[in-house]
Amino acid sequence: MSERLWYESFAPPPTARPARAWLDSDAPRLPLDGQWRFRYAERADGPLDFTGPAFDDAGWDSLPVPSHWQLHGYGAPAYTNVTYPFPLDPPHVPDENPTGDYRHTFRLPAGWPPGSTLLRLAGADSAARVWLNGVELGRTSGSRLTTEFDATEALRPDGDNVIAVRVVQWSAGSYLEDQDMWWLSGIFRGVDLVARPDGGIDDVDVRAEYDHVTGAGTLTVAASAPDARVRVPELGVDVAAGETVPLASVEPWSAERPRLYDATVSTATETVRLRIGFRTIRVEDGVITVNGRRVLFRGVNRHEFHPDRGRAVTEEDMLDDVRLMKQHNVNAVRTSHYPPHPRFLELCDEYGLYVVDECDLETHGYGDVEWRGNPADDTRWEAALVDRMRRTVERDKNHPSVVLWSLGNESGSGRNLAAMARWARHRDPSRPLIYERDWTGRDVDVYSRMYLNVAEVEAIGRGEEAPLDDPALDARRRRMPFVHIEYAHAMGNGPGGLAEYQRLYETYPRLQGGFVWEWIDHGLRARTADGREYFAYGGDFGELLHDGNFVADGLLFPDRTPSPGLLDVKKVFEPVRLTPTGDGGLAVHNGRIHSGLSDLDFRWVLEDDGEVVARGALEVGDVPAGESVRVDLPALPATEGEAHLTVQAVLAADEPWAKAGHEVAATQLPVGVRRPAAPPATPVPVRRDGARVHVGPGVLDERTGRLVRLGGWDVDGPRLQVWRAPTDNDRAPHGEALEPLWRRAGYDRLTHRLDEVTVTGTGAVVRVRVAPASSDGGLLATYTWSALADDRLGLVVDVDLDGHLPGPLPTLGVLFALPGELDQVEWFGRGPGEAYPDTGLATRTSRWFRTVTDLQTPYVFPQENGRRADVRWATVTAGQGGGVRVEGRTRFGLTVRPWTAEALDRAAHPTDLVPDGRTWLTLDAGHNGIGSASCGPGVLPPYLLPAAPARLDLELRVI
Ligand code: GAL
């Protein structure tokens, strides 16, 4: 075999041991993780001098296993979404093929049992060749799939053992691994030596079904060892492996109540520990059921990611993900787009998450050549594809959390997918199959699509989707449940429009929810020359081909801080709906499918003008799954101002994923709308001082028409603010982009022309025309100033259209520059997080406080952010040192930044943004919605900001 061909084969390597379950056994296991010796090369044809024990690797570097070498200074990460970074010339790959040679020396611990020993690699990207003590054990392919080799013969019971591995970045397998993520290589999951005692248990196959009508369970645990015994002490089970045990009564497993039973399978020489969950998944009458009840997936798509470690995630990273999902009302996860680290599935079993386990397969880049030669349809690849499916199912088959098998992602259609489906269906009839690109439903049990708009989803809900040409297939697909396998693209600011989808999923039985794209931003931690940290995206490593920041499209920032989008997800995923009935009552709907509400406490808090004035508990009692009750709201004490009642459902006791008191659901309703009356105006006469016109506490410059002083502060404004730094959803590389339209319209380069300043006895009227170059349309802004008192300045902003301007507008408001020392903001309005017309679903009205720094949302790619909605008043102060107060006689949107929208627009990374010494205050009458057009539908019509007249009625006060 020539030195390059070992990784250029259509077929899976023949040398591995048959795939089997990932078992927790008492047979010894020796983890080989740690610092290994490492040699990096740009090509894969370097000498094979290093494979034997005698080789002197003293001159080599060292590299942690598991890790990706690109994250340790060898080669560089590269990001492409769809595009293959090499020519489509399978099974060949370029000569430039970054390669890592690894060596590691170990000794067997005392008492290593006789029998055979396996060497197990849980993940090597993309192909590896493995030697032990100079003897070649075999090859791997399938980066996220486990490979085991028989190491028995080569292993030395005494003295040093040397494992040597050559890993290549590109291999034939890379054609099957075109997922939208960083290309990162190396041994990135653990390596173990696994003892296989004679008479041990190689594989176990658990079938644990639950009959929701009788409450009975049926358990069959088959084992590869014929004499094995299965014991489930809690259920009094002690039977031979393979025997089916009827159990009169068991507690079922569900994501809501992840009940697991500890079990063992033993022979004389080995015991395997299992955690069994009884549950039954079916597609019946066009609906996916878990234990007989229609399930609703409140899901997310999860890639494995850490900003320093890439896909070499640790147990703590996985636990963080699972806890954060549970805390944010997520009940399902699709392992996009490959089987995860096996520990992740154990955590899903234990904490309760439904899993769509996806095969490590994507050939999306073949779309660029009209799917010519797509591996999914070229029979030379059939064995490799079926092998990938087999290794997925065999490894993960015993997890109760796994409820659907996915054949892969975005691989077009073809015969090999059908072969994978046939294999999986035959091997495991207990779980339905899904594959999004199978729009005919030929090979699957569940219809799924991605990024449909609300109308399309609703049509499917009603069973009114466009028909297929083949009537038989059409009829079959029409009977299928629907899962929106990717939707609500969480790139940058957003996603907008989550609530509309959720409403459909909760209305139409066929619509069984979906999986938000995606869980976490894949930004890699990097530093500027002067040491400031940022998260790098495509192109930051000098890639010739890349897809920029499309890799940062998650609900978590790369460091796992929840984004505002995740808070919105938590809100729409609430499993308990609290809805005021309008007559002094509250409807409590239990949207769970298996459990009541006895684990929740209900409590209320009354706020008057944002100050807490009373709180108490609400007796709701238990509400069975799927049912609603009406409870009376508490009798409330009298309030003086604008009052709000917030009702929360919180955990009554600690759960493994959150402490008692953690909020699961909440609602807020206005209960007193009296606004404090503005103090009576005592107008003061206008005073002139050259071109300076003193209006109450303000000074206008008659030459510019702008306010230059307010009390003791230098200010500059108002200027009409129409521009916003385009969001990823405005830029929309794969959707209805607004940014080009806005730039064409010139909203990023408006000019201002002062028309006139009319000074009256106690005020002034300033008229300005604001318009883009080369357009005959513009906006007329009329600023009506009035000196309400010595320290109070009225400002009414009226905006009219002058000619035609295309809508929607990015925003419409006024901008003031204030001194930078005014860096603290308090407001009464929605908060604490940002909110746009179709986002900020989790925000509540109260009094909030943030520093200007903390008001900024640090999206990996800088863009419009940080707006607070429905603000009644706000102060911008220098702490104790006074400042400015804005009172709205109409509600306004509030944005306060230490830089301008233009600077935000120019920045490529947050580190490009440097405070410019001023505090930029924008008060807006409206913003365009956010939508989800970065991949999917744009802003829904009710959330568009039309180019239409607008008014802001404000009062500025000096503090
Ligand atoms: C989908 C794909 C995902 C991701 C997403 C956009 O088409 O399945 O992997 O690329 O689009 O972020």
Side-chain angles (χ1 to χ4, degrees):
M1 175 171 53
S2 98
E3 268 333 301
R4 61 179 286 173
L5 286 181
W6 69 267
Y7 53 83
E8 289 188 335
S9 165
F10 289 106
T15 40
R17 302 270 306 157
R20 63 191 187 110
W22 186 273
L23 295 174
D24 175 13
S25 157
D26 68 348
R29 178 176 70 92
L30 178 64
L32 299 178
D33 299 350
Q35 288 292 328
W36 288 29
R37 310 297 289 167
F38 182 71
R39 174 175 74 181
Y40 177 75
E42 299 289 347
R43 298 168 58 98
D45 54 2
L48 283 176
D49 52 354
F50 69 101
T51 63
F55 180 79
D56 180 6
D57 58 22
W60 284 24
D61 302 340
S62 75
L63 183 78
V65 167
S67 76
H68 298 287
W69 65 60
Q70 288 90 347
L71 303 182
H72 291 266
Y74 306 94
Y79 166 60
T80 58
N81 167 14
V82 175
T83 314
Y84 284 98
F86 47 81
L88 298 188
D89 174 28
H92 306 293
V93 296
D95 294 341
E96 298 84 17
N97 191 359
T99 297
D101 291 337
Y102 295 75
R103 282 172 59 86
H104 183 63
T105 306
F106 64 92
R107 281 167 181 250
L108 273 189
W112 194 261
S116 58
T117 296
L118 303 182
L119 179 71
R120 177 173 75 189
L121 279 82
D125 195 331
S126 77
R129 201 170 162 188
V130 182
W131 295 263
L132 182 61
N133 299 322
V135 177
E136 181 163 2
L137 299 185
R139 293 176 274 132
T140 76
S141 73
S143 296
R144 271 72 55 174
L145 298 166
T146 300
T147 308
E148 289 180 317
F149 301 110
D150 190 346
T152 317
E153 295 298 318
L155 194 64
R156 296 182 179 162
D158 305 304
D160 284 349
N161 284 280
V162 177
I163 173 171
V165 185
R166 169 163 287 179
V167 181
V168 288
Q169 171 149 11
W170 307 123
S171 66
S174 305
Y175 286 92
L176 309 180
E177 296 175 5
D178 188 30
Q179 290 96 341
D180 174 7
M181 61 191 192
W182 292 104
W183 296 97
L184 292 171
S185 321
I187 305 174
F188 75 99
R189 287 187 190 154
V191 180
D192 292 294
L193 211 59
V194 184
R196 302 298 320 120
D198 291 332
I201 303 153
D202 283 336
D203 203 2
V204 168
D205 191 347
V206 179
R207 297 289 157 98
E209 301 250 312
Y210 177 72
D211 181 334
H212 68 282
V213 178
T214 61
T218 311
L219 178 66
T220 315
V221 181
S224 56
D227 57 337
R229 280 208 79 77
V230 176
R231 294 189 181 90
V232 190
E234 214 183 324
L235 295 171
V237 171
D238 184 346
V239 295
E243 203 172 295
T244 295
V245 194
L247 295 156
S249 163
V250 294
E251 288 178 53
W253 182 96
S254 69
E256 291 164 12
R257 294 243 173 102
R259 176 67 158 100
L260 295 171
Y261 290 89
D262 288 319
T264 56
V265 186
S266 314
T267 62
T269 56
E270 183 174 22
T271 293
V272 165
R273 287 174 290 268
L274 297 171
R275 308 208 69 197
I276 293 176
F278 291 87
R279 52 114 192 87
T280 299
I281 315 298
R282 295 242 191 290
V283 176
E284 33 194 5
D285 300 330
V287 169
I288 308 170
T289 58
V290 174
N291 302 332
R293 307 289 293 263
R294 168 183 179 262
V295 66
L296 186 60
F297 295 121
R298 301 176 175 95
V300 291
N301 279 280
R302 172 184 181 266
H303 268 284
E304 295 182 313
F305 189 73
H306 184 276
D308 302 313
R309 296 187 276 277
R311 289 185 290 277
V313 292
T314 63
E315 163 123 16
E316 205 41 53
D317 301 334
M318 296 183 246
L319 249 179
D320 284 347
D321 281 352
V322 168
R323 287 201 199 107
L324 282 164
M325 286 177 191
K326 294 291 290 186
Q327 287 165 9
H328 291 89
N329 293 332
V330 169
N331 75 351
V333 54
R334 172 181 181 226
T335 69
S336 53
H337 298 302
Y338 40 81
H341 189 290
R343 179 69 185 139
F344 181 74
L345 297 178
E346 294 174 358
L347 295 173
C348 292
D349 293 344
E350 218 173 281
Y351 284 78
L353 287 166
Y354 299 116
V355 177
V356 176
D357 194 352
E358 188 151 278
C359 186
D360 193 356
L361 173 66
E362 174 160 343
T363 66
H364 202 173
Y366 273 84
D368 290 351
V369 296
E370 279 114 36
W371 299 101
R372 283 189 304 278
N374 180 17
D377 197 39
D378 174 340
T379 49
R380 288 175 300 175
W381 290 101
E382 178 178 333
L385 267 64
V386 174
D387 173 70
R388 283 171 184 249
M389 195 66 205
R390 177 186 301 118
R391 286 156 74 192
T392 301
V393 171
E394 293 297 355
R395 194 197 71 171
D396 296 342
K397 58 185 178 262
N398 294 333
H399 290 285
S401 56
V402 175
V403 293
L404 292 172
W405 298 119
S406 164
L407 303 180
N409 186 55
E410 307 222 283
S411 300
S413 56
R415 289 169 279 189
N416 300 336
L417 288 158
M420 293 167 82
R422 269 196 308 279
W423 183 88
R425 214 183 278 294
H426 180 251
R427 175 69 183 87
D428 178 17
S430 78
R431 293 178 177 95
L433 299 180
I434 193 165
Y435 170 59
E436 190 273 340
R437 279 297 122 148
D438 184 5
W439 290 354
T440 65
R442 191 188 319 258
D443 298 323
V444 295
D445 305 299
V446 176
Y447 182 33
S448 75
R449 296 289 299 271
M450 49 173 75
Y451 306 111
L452 297 186
N453 66 34
V454 166
E456 292 165 320
V457 173
E458 181 150 30
I460 295 173
R462 293 178 189 276
E464 291 168 1
E465 67 271 27
L468 292 167
D469 291 341
D470 178 328
L473 280 177
D474 185 62
R476 182 167 177 274
R477 197 184 67 178
R478 250 168 237 287
R479 289 193 301 270
M480 283 183 182
F482 176 79
V483 170
H484 209 179
I485 200 76
E486 293 180 26
Y487 77 104
H489 197 251
M491 185 177 184
N493 189 337
L498 281 165
E500 284 73 12
Y501 287 113
Q502 195 66 24
R503 187 180 54 77
L504 297 180
Y505 306 153
E506 292 181 13
T507 303
Y508 296 98
R510 186 188 189 191
L511 305 178
Q512 297 201 261
F515 295 79
V516 169
W517 186 267
E518 72 174 303
W519 178 239
I520 185 168
D521 285 340
H522 313 203
L524 289 168
R525 203 188 311 268
R527 283 178 199 284
T528 57
D530 59 354
R532 288 171 304 134
E533 198 175 275
Y534 67 99
F535 293 108
Y537 49 76
D540 284 336
F541 299 95
E543 303 103 294
L544 291 179
L545 288 173
H546 67 81
D547 289 288
N549 67 313
F550 204 62
V551 77
D553 54 0
L555 296 167
L556 294 178
F557 291 109
D559 62 2
R560 288 192 161 67
T561 309
S563 74
L566 183 57
L567 304 183
D568 280 12
V569 163
K570 176 183 177 187
K571 179 71 192 156
V572 301
F573 281 1
E574 284 178 349
V576 180
R577 290 262 175 252
L578 306 175
T579 320
T581 54
D583 61 350
L586 183 75
V588 179
H589 175 72
N590 179 1
R592 297 168 170 178
I593 60 172
H594 293 298
S595 23
L597 299 184
S598 59
D599 58 325
L600 301 179
D601 280 344
F602 291 79
R603 56 194 196 196
W604 58 267
V605 55
L606 176 68
E607 285 173 280
D608 194 5
D609 283 334
E611 299 288 352
V612 174
V613 291
R615 48 172 92 240
L618 201 64
E619 271 320 310
V620 172
D622 199 5
V623 182
E627 296 189 11
S628 301
V629 294
R630 182 194 182 282
V631 293
D632 285 333
L633 287 169
L636 300 175
T639 47
E640 317 251 288
E642 193 181 342
H644 289 88
L645 177 70
T646 304
V647 181
Q648 292 172 291
V650 301
L651 290 181
D654 289 354
E655 292 283 348
W657 44 270
K659 294 266 173 227
H662 165 84
E663 181 185 299
V664 172
T667 191
Q668 189 182 50
L669 60 151
V671 289
V673 288
R674 222 164 338 128
R675 295 280 299 128
T682 44
V684 284
V686 164
R687 210 158 45 76
R688 271 180 180 280
D689 165 12
R692 293 163 84 89
V693 183
H694 294 252
V695 188
V699 179
L700 296 173
D701 182 336
E702 202 173 9
R703 290 163 309 184
T704 61
R706 303 229 285 261
L707 189 72
V708 291
R709 294 281 290 176
L710 185 61
W713 304 105
D714 281 335
V715 300
D716 184 11
R719 298 223 341 148
L720 213 58
Q721 179 73 33
V722 175
W723 187 237
R724 74 179 185 194
T727 63
D728 287 313
N729 290 313
D730 296 334
R731 299 164 76 216
H734 303 281
E736 307 155 28
L738 286 168
E739 182 195 12
L741 190 145
W742 287 345
R743 290 206 196 268
R744 249 191 330 272
Y747 295 148
D748 56 337
R749 48 183 165 80
L750 294 177
T751 62
H752 299 245
R753 177 177 61 76
L754 177 63
D755 241 1
E756 66 173 346
V757 178
T758 313
V759 179
T760 61
T762 56
V765 178
V766 177
R767 290 179 213 282
V768 181
R769 188 173 190 280
V770 179
S774 193
S775 163
D776 58 358
L779 296 164
L780 294 176
T782 306
Y783 302 106
T784 305
W785 298 97
S786 43
L788 300 175
D790 277 337
D791 59 350
R792 294 170 52 207
L793 181 58
L795 169 61
V796 178
V797 182
D798 282 297
V799 184
D800 277 308
L801 284 183
D802 184 22
H804 173 75
L805 283 181
L809 297 178
T811 180
L812 193 54
V814 286
L815 173 71
F816 291 90
L818 305 178
E821 59 193 292
L822 303 185
D823 61 358
Q824 312 201 8
V825 182
E826 189 177 3
W827 74 100
F828 181 47
R830 274 162 61 202
E834 65 186 31
Y836 293 81
D838 53 351
T839 68
L841 309 173
T843 58
R844 280 178 212 155
T845 302
S846 188
R847 266 173 86 157
W848 307 102
F849 175 83
R850 287 286 185 277
T851 63
V852 170
T853 308
D854 289 343
L855 282 173
Q856 316 308 311
T857 310
Y859 292 112
V860 168
F861 181 83
Q863 56 195 280
E864 168 63 35
N865 73 84
R867 172 187 190 252
R868 268 58 181 180
D870 288 330
V871 176
R872 282 69 154 174
W873 59 258
T875 65
V876 187
T877 60
Q880 299 309 312
V884 173
R885 179 180 171 105
V886 183
E887 280 282 341
R889 282 179 291 229
T890 47
R891 292 181 189 183
F892 56 93
L894 171 74
T895 310
V896 193
R897 303 194 166 105
W899 40 69
T900 60
E902 289 70 21
L904 197 54
D905 184 4
R906 282 191 301 271
H909 295 101
T911 41
D912 298 339
L913 290 164
V914 182
D916 63 12
R918 309 225 229 170
T919 293
W920 297 92
L921 168 69
T922 309
L923 312 167
D924 73 67
H927 245 276
N928 198 50
I930 296 295
S932 185
S934 53
C935 184
V939 178
L940 289 168
Y943 307 123
L944 292 169
L945 179 66
R951 162 173 273 212
L952 277 166
D953 191 347
L954 307 165
E955 185 178 322
L956 309 181
R957 292 188 198 162
V958 180
I959 304 172

